[in-house]
């Protein structure tokens, strides 16, 4: 129980935080989380060890600032041990080796509809034989209704027996006895009591799933149980991961809906599991995930288009209500994601704010934006190593700024890199062609230019009065 002086001390801290917030970049969420962590010192929580509580006591007295807070959270959440849960294996064979990617699904009984079998089917059918060797699928049947679980296990084992035998499909259940209190919780956002119970339990369902999957693969992607997949989604994910080598990230998003297509490093799963448990009753899981990403210093969403996963359910798992949400960026058929090998980017154009050159080369939904370019201005890509290029595609302008295209420009390639004025260039270039309607695309480049390419240059051939957006630069290697 709280003592009066403890309550007063908490509100004194919050008052100081309000003043500090005006002078700090820490968001209100940071203040909320610090407060909740402080509250956790006094609330009995079977999931937080006494040593972790002592760490919170020590850090809660420090001055609040973004760098220290993020560092504190990393220390707090660096749990090396798993959450103490004894899982029931409902369908599985021993995992013979660690895979590249684990796909996690949590499912409960729905009042209307059941899409789990179709989701599992889509995962396997949309993967090639080689891709199947690198994935494992873990299904958490999280409903407390044992009869429903038995029926689902029977259906799963009948339809996917060969995947279970191959060790790529595991079905588990975390017993009810390991769950925290789910009744009488705080009614945040004025949600009805049954809604609060549903979303709070869902957070715990996911936490136990994440906890189980922590050591099964290098990466982990979360799906919901009513999803269909794009063909060869694993190959697309691997290309994206390779393109981000050397870049810090916590979460990569391959769908813009809910908790669908969110990718993590497996080493982050224990801390994410503990985070969901610590704040299970505060808000829905997809909101918590946004905060988790921010607390680990990934400020911006990193989302890729087209989306690899699509919501297909018509009825929600909550009360069977209608849920017609669709991801309009989803493409089900196979598509060719560019390789975009490691490179440095340079331009002598005037860059607007933080729309720098590198954003045109990223797979993320962002772009380069510069002030009106003049004749002779350049935008140069210098590859770390010479490459053989199969295809090049450059797009300028956006839907809402259709006039900010490259009106007069050409694309050149160079073979030998040299250092010019603190930026890398090539000493000679060969012209591939001109931009048309703001775009450039050429296939079979390696057949037309049979050499290893070190540089690509966008060259402005005529001054324009409009600003310039380079939306994307895509390179496919042979």
């Amino acid at each position: 129980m709280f003592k009066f002086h403890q309550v007063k001390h908490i509100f004194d801290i919050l008052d100081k935080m309000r003043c500090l917030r005006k002078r700090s970049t820490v968001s209100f969420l940071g203040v909320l989380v610090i407060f909740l962590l402080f509250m956790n010192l006094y609330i009995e929580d079977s999931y937080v060890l006494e040593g972790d509580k002592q760490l919170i006591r020590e850090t809660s007295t420090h001055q609040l600032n973004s760098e220290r807070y993020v560092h504190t959270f990393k220390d707090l959440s660096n749990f090396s041990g798993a959450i103490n849960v004894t899982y029931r294996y409902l369908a599985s064979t021993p995992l013979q080796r660690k895979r590249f990617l684990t796909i996690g699904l949590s499912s409960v009984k729905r009042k209307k509809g059941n899409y789990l079998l179709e989701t599992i089917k889509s995962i396997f059918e949309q993967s090639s034989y080689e891709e199947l060797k690198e994935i494992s699928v873990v299904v958490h049947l999280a409903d407390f209704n044992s009869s429903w679980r038995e029926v689902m296990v029977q259906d799963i084992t009948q339809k996917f027996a060969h995947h279970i035998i191959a060790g790529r499909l595991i079905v588990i259940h975390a017993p009810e006895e390991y769950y925290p209190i789910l009744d009488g919780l705080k009614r945040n956002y004025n949600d009805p009591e049954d809604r609060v119970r549903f979303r709070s339990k869902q957070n715990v369902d996911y936490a136990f799933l994440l906890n189980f999957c922590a050591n099964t693969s290098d990466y982990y992607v979360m799906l919901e149980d009513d999803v269909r997949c794009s063909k060869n989604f694993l190959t697309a994910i691997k290309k994206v991961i390779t393109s981000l080598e050397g870049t810090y990230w916590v979460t990569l998003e391959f769908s813009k809906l809910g908790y669908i297509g969110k990718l993590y490093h497996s080493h982050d799963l224990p801390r994410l599991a503990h985070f969901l448990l610590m704040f299970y009753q505060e808000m829905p899981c997809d909101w918590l995930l946004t905060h988790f990403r921010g607390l680990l210093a990934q400020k911006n969403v990193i989302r890729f288009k087209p989306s690899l996963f699509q919501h297909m359910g018509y009825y929600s798992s909550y009360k069977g209500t209608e849920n017609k949400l669709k991801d309009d960026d989803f493409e089900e058929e196979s598509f060719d994601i560019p390789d975009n090998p490691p490179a440095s980017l340079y331009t002598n154009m005037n860059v607007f704010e933080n729309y720098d050159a590198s954003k045109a080369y990223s797979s993320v939904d962002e772009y380069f934006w510069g002030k009106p370019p003049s004749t002779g201005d350049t935008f140069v890509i210098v590859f770390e190593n010479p490459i053989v290029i199969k295809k090049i595609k450059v797009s300028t302008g956006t839907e809402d700024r259709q006039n900010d295209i490259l009106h007069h420009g050409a694309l050149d390639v160079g073979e030998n890199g040299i250092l010019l004025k603190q930026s890398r260039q090539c000493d000679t270039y060969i012209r591939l062609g001109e931009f048309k309607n703001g775009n450039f695309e050429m296939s079979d480049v390696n057949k037309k230019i049979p050499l290893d390419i070190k540089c690509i240059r966008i060259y402005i051939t005529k001054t324009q009065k409009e600003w310039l957006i380079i939306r994307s630069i895509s390179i496919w290697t042979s």
Side-chain angles (χ1 to χ4, degrees), residues 329-379:
D329 293 324
F330 173 75
E331 291 184 11
E332 187 165 6
E333 294 303 315
S334 178
F335 57 90
D336 195 5
I337 287 184
D339 299 293
N340 280 20
S344 300
L345 286 85
Y346 308 96
T347 183
N348 60 353
M349 302 180 214
N350 291 322
V351 180
F352 176 62
E353 294 186 352
N354 63 338
Y355 294 87
D356 54 81
S358 63
K359 294 187 175 180
Y361 194 63
S362 169
S363 299
V364 185
D365 188 19
E366 51 189 12
Y367 51 80
F368 163 81
W369 200 3
K371 296 180 181 180
S374 302
T375 303
D377 284 350
T378 59
F379 186 106

Side-chain angles (χ1 to χ4, degrees), residues 18-133:
R18 281 194 298 270
C19 296
L20 181 61
R21 186 162 58 91
K22 296 178 181 179
R23 306 189 299 271
S24 171
T25 61
V26 178
S27 67
F28 178 73
L29 170 68
V31 177
L32 172 63
V33 173
I34 284 288
F35 174 63
L36 291 171
L37 291 176
F38 190 93
M39 294 282 284
N40 190 61
L41 303 179
Y42 302 99
I43 299 174
E44 186 61 32
D45 187 345
S46 60
Y47 299 104
V48 182
L49 302 177
E50 196 60 35
D52 299 323
K53 291 183 179 181
Q54 179 61 33
L55 176 60
I56 300 173
R57 291 189 186 97
E58 294 171 357
T59 58
S60 64
T61 58
H62 292 169
Q63 181 181 7
L64 184 62
N65 65 70
S66 57
E67 292 183 1
R68 177 170 291 164
Y69 181 73
V70 170
H71 177 70
T72 297
F73 182 76
K74 287 181 179 178
D75 288 344
L76 174 66
S77 303
N78 190 23
F79 298 104
S80 57
I83 297 167
N84 186 23
V85 178
T86 301
Y87 296 89
R88 294 177 185 169
Y89 288 76
L90 306 182
S92 69
T93 57
L95 190 63
Q96 298 176 354
R97 60 181 176 83
K98 197 172 184 179
R99 308 292 175 99
F100 179 82
L101 179 71
T102 295
I103 302 161
L105 305 166
S106 181
S107 186
V108 295
K109 183 180 180 181
R110 296 171 181 257
K111 290 189 175 183
K112 292 182 180 181
N114 188 321
Y115 312 99
L116 176 59
L117 298 178
E118 285 299 313
T119 299
I120 299 172
K121 180 182 177 182
S122 179
I123 292 171
F124 292 138
E125 285 191 346
Q126 298 290 63
S127 301
S128 68
Y129 176 74
E130 292 301 321
E131 288 171 330
L132 289 174
K133 296 178 182 178

Side-chain angles (χ1 to χ4, degrees), residues 37-291:
L37 291 176
F38 190 93
M39 294 282 284
N40 190 61
L41 303 179
Y42 302 99
I43 299 174
E44 186 61 32
D45 187 345
S46 60
Y47 299 104
V48 182
L49 302 177
E50 196 60 35
D52 299 323
K53 291 183 179 181
Q54 179 61 33
L55 176 60
I56 300 173
R57 291 189 186 97
E58 294 171 357
T59 58
S60 64
T61 58
H62 292 169
Q63 181 181 7
L64 184 62
N65 65 70
S66 57
E67 292 183 1
R68 177 170 291 164
Y69 181 73
V70 170
H71 177 70
T72 297
F73 182 76
K74 287 181 179 178
D75 288 344
L76 174 66
S77 303
N78 190 23
F79 298 104
S80 57
I83 297 167
N84 186 23
V85 178
T86 301
Y87 296 89
R88 294 177 185 169
Y89 288 76
L90 306 182
S92 69
T93 57
L95 190 63
Q96 298 176 354
R97 60 181 176 83
K98 197 172 184 179
R99 308 292 175 99
F100 179 82
L101 179 71
T102 295
I103 302 161
L105 305 166
S106 181
S107 186
V108 295
K109 183 180 180 181
R110 296 171 181 257
K111 290 189 175 183
K112 292 182 180 181
N114 188 321
Y115 312 99
L116 176 59
L117 298 178
E118 285 299 313
T119 299
I120 299 172
K121 180 182 177 182
S122 179
I123 292 171
F124 292 138
E125 285 191 346
Q126 298 290 63
S127 301
S128 68
Y129 176 74
E130 292 301 321
E131 288 171 330
L132 289 174
K133 296 178 182 178
E134 299 189 74
I135 67 173
S136 61
V137 179
V138 178
V139 178
H140 179 202
L141 296 183
D143 203 285
F144 297 149
N145 184 321
S146 60
S147 298
W148 175 82
R149 294 198 307 270
E150 290 173 4
V151 171
M152 290 308 303
V153 169
Q154 185 176 5
D155 288 344
I156 291 171
T157 53
Q158 286 178 351
K159 293 180 181 296
F160 307 106
H162 60 294
H163 292 296
I164 296 172
I165 294 171
R168 69 175 69 98
L169 175 59
I170 301 171
V171 184
I172 62 169
H173 172 67
E176 185 176 3
E177 62 197 73
Y178 292 99
Y179 279 70
I181 296 172
L182 297 174
D183 294 314
L185 303 178
K186 294 184 296 183
R187 292 180 56 187
N188 292 346
Y189 316 108
N190 202 32
D191 282 346
E193 187 172 343
D194 61 343
R195 174 68 181 175
V196 172
R197 187 184 195 281
F198 172 82
R199 61 172 170 77
S200 298
K201 179 183 178 297
Q202 188 177 56
N203 284 332
V204 184
D205 295 342
Y206 283 134
F208 288 159
L209 174 60
L210 292 162
N211 181 62
F212 180 89
C213 297
N215 296 309
T216 58
S217 61
D218 298 322
Y219 298 94
Y220 173 91
V221 66
M222 182 70 82
L223 298 185
E224 295 181 3
D225 64 348
D226 54 355
V227 168
R228 73 175 189 266
C229 308
S230 175
K231 191 169 184 62
N232 302 121
F233 64 88
L234 175 63
T235 298
I237 288 174
K238 291 181 73 173
K239 274 193 173 185
V240 167
I241 292 173
T242 300
S243 73
L244 292 174
E245 188 174 346
T247 302
Y248 176 78
W249 58 269
V250 178
T251 309
L252 303 182
E253 302 189 8
F254 294 91
S255 172
K256 63 182 179 183
L257 299 180
Y259 205 175
I260 298 174
K262 306 304 184 282
L263 183 80
Y264 303 92
H265 298 277
S266 289
H267 60 68
D268 280 334
L269 297 188
R271 66 175 72 181
L272 178 54
H274 280 267
F275 183 79
L276 290 176
L277 282 174
M278 188 174 292
F279 303 109
Y280 77 100
Q281 65 173 312
E282 300 300 327
M283 61 187 69
C285 56
D286 46 337
W287 296 8
L288 282 174
L289 296 174
T290 300
H291 301 325

